[in-house]
Amino acid sequence: MFRADEFSHFVGYGSTDQKTLRDFAGSYGGILVPATVAAFQRQGTGGFVLTLTASEPSVPFVIDPRFPLFQQRLEEPKLSHVALAELLGDRDLVTSYGDRPATYFDTASIQQISRRWLDFNLKYRTEQSEKFSKYAKRLGRPLEQEQATGPQRVLAPYFSVSGPDDPWWQKSCEFVDTTQSIAGDSIPVTRVLAAHSANALERVIEVIAPEKLCVWVSGLSELESEPAELRMYAEVVRDSSLRGFNIFALYGGFFAVLLASIGLSGVSHGIGYGEHREWRELPRSGPPPARFYLSSVHRYVSRDDAQRFWNHDPNLVGPHAPVMPIQYEYHDLMLHSLIARADEIANYSHLPLSHMIDLLHNDRHEFRSRLAASRPDAVTSRAGIRACAHLDRWIEALEQLL
């Protein structure tokens, strides 16, 4: 997750992603498991990820506490929310008063939650291995259960904050300190700095000493955010890296890959989704939509739009698409997106910022030129304009860093 020799590529885990993760093993650096899934599907999730750690090459994993879930009152908590609260020893977490952090999360509560969270991580290799043999058979090769490893590190419980004066920030710090104190030297404990905005991230990171750090800016959509917000986020990464921080983005897409040029050490994303996330729990769930990853402009589009581009010029969709987008089954779409992202990381993450920007200019020019030369109809033309509009914002944001 914090490798010094290359950009770390972690993939978010969901129970519907198992086939894709198996088929793609060896081409990503690790798995990020949501705590809600780890708690609710203990043996199934545990058996699956443990077989990947026992494989060759071994696939490490970490578990995201997803603790901002309990920073709000959950009117209709899901079973997975309740399962996580029970795992942490306090079922009332799902109905806690999010506006009173100082009184609800007192010292005793933080001690209990930290200890139970740490125990869950430390005992994961042995206590969640009941279905190891089942998943080892699906991998199609003999695996020794003794070779399985637990989480690579422990991500301490955390809250999303608006700045260093936010009382939730004090509680986040207490969770980090308490978890580290209990863990001692048994396993690395890492802080997650979750912030409401890039500005909040900047103000909070200024008050802590350099360390290995996971960051998450709530709702930071790489495709929709304004250049000023993207530039501020990039500046935080650059300036913090220069101060000695090793920063891993808990959510991000291709824009995060571009930030490797100024110090970002890695990124995680879901399969077909999950390039940004709101800290507040939203009332929706289920698998990601069946979208096509348009590697020519580094973003997802609808399968219909991808097919329109293909019909005019197959080169508009980029490489890795041997058949028409409309012919892709759901699993093929997910696998395609991971292959494309792995290639992006391999081809871009080692480049200097100026070269990154030049390539973005080239990608934008080539896509627009090919689209115009294909004489598109009005619907396809509008889809093409939408599909590459984010490149203008990315270029504007990054050019201000030169």
Side-chain angles (χ1 to χ4, degrees):
M1 184 173 250
F2 296 99
R3 296 183 62 172
D5 56 336
E6 63 183 53
F7 191 79
S8 294
H9 178 197
F10 270 59
V11 178
Y13 170 85
S15 58
T16 60
D17 300 326
Q18 290 183 358
K19 178 172 172 52
T20 306
L21 289 170
R22 282 199 306 269
D23 292 348
F24 196 57
S27 298
Y28 54 89
I31 297 174
L32 185 72
V33 182
T36 46
V37 177
F40 186 54
Q41 302 172 342
R42 290 199 195 188
Q43 291 300 331
T45 299
F48 176 77
V49 299
L50 290 174
T51 56
L52 292 183
T53 69
S55 301
E56 182 60 42
S58 177
V59 180
F61 74 99
V62 294
I63 307 174
D64 178 4
R66 290 279 177 90
F67 214 67
L69 177 70
F70 303 125
Q71 200 173 339
Q72 57 196 296
R73 179 183 288 277
L74 299 172
E75 299 296 341
E76 298 181 6
K78 301 174 185 175
L79 293 177
S80 59
H81 301 161
V82 176
L84 178 57
E86 291 177 340
L87 182 151
L88 297 173
D90 187 357
R91 197 179 190 281
D92 290 339
L93 283 171
V94 296
T95 55
S96 65
Y97 291 88
D99 59 343
R100 296 192 295 172
T103 54
Y104 191 82
F105 292 98
D106 58 15
T107 300
S109 174
I110 290 173
Q111 282 276 349
Q112 173 186 288
I113 291 169
S114 298
R115 187 174 298 280
R116 291 183 69 108
W117 176 244
L118 184 62
D119 284 348
F120 179 66
N121 280 263
L122 290 176
K123 297 175 182 177
Y124 200 86
R125 187 183 70 83
T126 55
E127 293 189 355
Q128 319 305 325
S129 61
E130 181 180 304
K131 296 189 177 181
F132 182 93
S133 298
K134 168 186 172 181
Y135 288 103
K137 289 180 181 177
R138 291 185 180 180
L139 283 173
R141 52 184 181 271
L143 297 174
E144 297 296 330
Q145 191 162 328
E146 291 73 19
Q147 297 297 113
T149 59
Q152 186 184 59
R153 58 183 58 243
V154 172
L155 303 186
Y158 61 93
F159 298 107
S160 183
V161 303
S162 60
D165 298 328
D166 189 335
W168 290 110
W169 169 241
Q170 178 187 348
K171 294 303 170 182
S172 287
C173 291
E174 290 180 27
F175 268 117
V176 172
D177 293 343
T178 302
T179 307
Q180 288 177 333
S181 176
I182 298 172
D185 297 327
S186 60
I187 188 172
V189 174
T190 299
R191 182 196 308 269
V192 176
L193 205 170
H196 294 355
S197 66
N199 177 263
L201 178 68
E202 179 183 43
R203 291 188 295 114
V204 172
I205 207 168
E206 287 177 346
V207 303
I208 58 176
E211 60 182 288
K212 289 183 171 66
L213 186 67
C214 291
V215 301
W216 164 18
V217 175
S218 178
L220 184 70
S221 169
E222 297 178 355
L223 300 178
E224 304 297 336
S225 295
E226 292 299 318
E229 182 80 355
L230 295 172
R231 175 185 53 78
M232 180 173 288
Y233 179 55
E235 286 178 337
V236 173
V237 170
R238 179 196 62 190
D239 296 346
S240 300
S241 177
L242 291 173
R243 283 181 56 201
F245 284 89
N246 187 326
I247 296 179
F248 179 93
L250 213 55
Y251 298 96
F254 184 69
F255 186 80
V257 176
L258 297 174
L259 299 188
S261 64
I262 54 174
L264 192 67
S265 67
V267 66
S268 67
H269 61 86
I271 302 177
Y273 74 110
E275 296 188 343
H276 70 281
R277 184 181 179 88
E278 299 281 351
W279 75 266
R280 288 190 180 278
E281 187 71 11
L282 300 177
R284 62 172 182 261
S285 60
R291 300 179 299 169
F292 185 88
Y293 191 76
L294 205 66
S295 55
S296 56
V297 291
H298 315 291
R299 64 163 299 168
Y300 289 98
V301 298
S302 71
R303 202 161 26 174
D304 287 343
D305 279 350
Q307 185 62 40
R308 289 187 181 97
F309 300 143
W310 172 283
N311 291 341
H312 284 77
D313 181 353
N315 290 306
L316 284 169
V317 305
H320 319 302
V323 298
M324 294 187 297
I326 203 68
Q327 293 179 321
Y328 277 60
E329 299 294 338
Y330 184 81
H331 172 66
D332 299 324
L333 289 168
M334 301 300 106
L335 192 59
H336 164 74
S337 71
L338 280 184
I339 292 171
R341 178 55 44 78
D343 276 5
E344 289 174 336
I345 290 172
N347 294 329
Y348 283 80
S349 63
H350 63 286
L351 300 175
L353 179 61
S354 60
H355 197 166
M356 295 267 204
I357 294 172
D358 288 342
L359 290 175
L360 285 180
H361 277 288
N362 291 339
D363 290 338
R364 180 181 63 180
H365 174 74
E366 183 171 348
F367 183 81
R368 289 177 176 172
S369 297
R370 287 187 179 279
L371 183 65
S374 71
R375 298 181 181 277
D377 56 78
V379 173
T380 305
S381 179
R382 288 194 296 269
I385 292 171
R386 289 195 305 270
C388 67
H390 62 288
L391 295 180
D392 295 328
R393 293 189 287 273
W394 290 0
I395 291 169
E396 180 180 342
L398 295 176
E399 283 184 336
Q400 296 179 49
L401 301 179
L402 293 176

